Amino acid sequence: MEAIKNFFYLEGAYLIMGAIILLITLYVTTRPFMSPGAPRRGLSIVALVIALFIGAHYWLTTSRIAAVKAAFDAGKPVLCESRMLRKMAQSIEIRKNTASHWRIEGDNFVSPEYIRPFHIARCIVK
């Protein structure tokens, strides 16, 4: 159940965009100038491409999450996108054994020195 929740959290926006693209495909393929089998063929091809792209993105994201967690546990530096410090630094370096007391809670890096957690999906190994 956790994997499905994680999938919808990470890919929710892409699923919505995919549904909109399918609706546009349905509208275009049902116009009078299209052939009679166009809606079935068009929706099938577009749905397959969208499913492949979303699946590939989810696989890459979960692979990166696993790599970031492993690097953090090994004490390697991790770079995370900082949404609080947009004017100065675009990213922040996180290490396990620092004075900031970083830890992993679920899929977030958390420190008592920062108000907001950093989601691991927005981090890379340095």
Side-chain angles (χ1 to χ4, degrees):
M1 188 65 169
E2 185 68 29
I4 292 175
K5 180 182 174 186
N6 194 24
F7 175 77
F8 284 118
Y9 178 76
L10 293 173
E11 304 300 323
Y14 299 115
L15 291 171
I16 293 169
M17 287 190 311
I20 292 169
I21 291 170
L22 285 173
L23 288 173
I24 292 169
T25 303
L26 180 64
Y27 177 77
V28 170
T29 57
T30 55
R31 298 298 91 205
F33 57 84
M34 298 297 286
S35 66
R40 184 175 41 86
R41 283 193 315 267
L43 288 174
S44 299
I45 292 169
V46 171
L48 178 66
V49 169
I50 290 171
L52 288 173
F53 284 157
I54 290 174
H57 183 266
Y58 180 70
W59 180 77
L60 287 170
T61 302
T62 54
S63 299
R64 188 176 64 245
I65 287 172
V68 167
K69 283 183 178 181
F72 179 75
D73 288 336
K76 295 179 182 175
V78 173
L79 292 176
C80 289
E81 174 188 22
S82 176
R83 292 184 167 182
M84 288 176 48
L85 305 172
R86 288 282 187 195
K87 294 179 183 171
M88 298 180 344
Q90 291 288 327
S91 62
I92 184 168
E93 185 174 306
I94 294 174
R95 287 184 189 248
K96 188 173 189 174
N97 300 325
T98 62
S100 298
H101 306 290
W102 289 103
R103 65 187 185 284
I104 296 177
E105 287 182 4
D107 282 338
N108 292 311
F109 285 119
V110 180
S111 173
E113 295 182 13
Y114 289 87
I115 298 169
R116 300 171 105 185
F118 294 91
H119 196 279
I120 294 176
R122 294 186 185 97
C123 300
I124 58 171
V125 179
K126 185 173 179 183

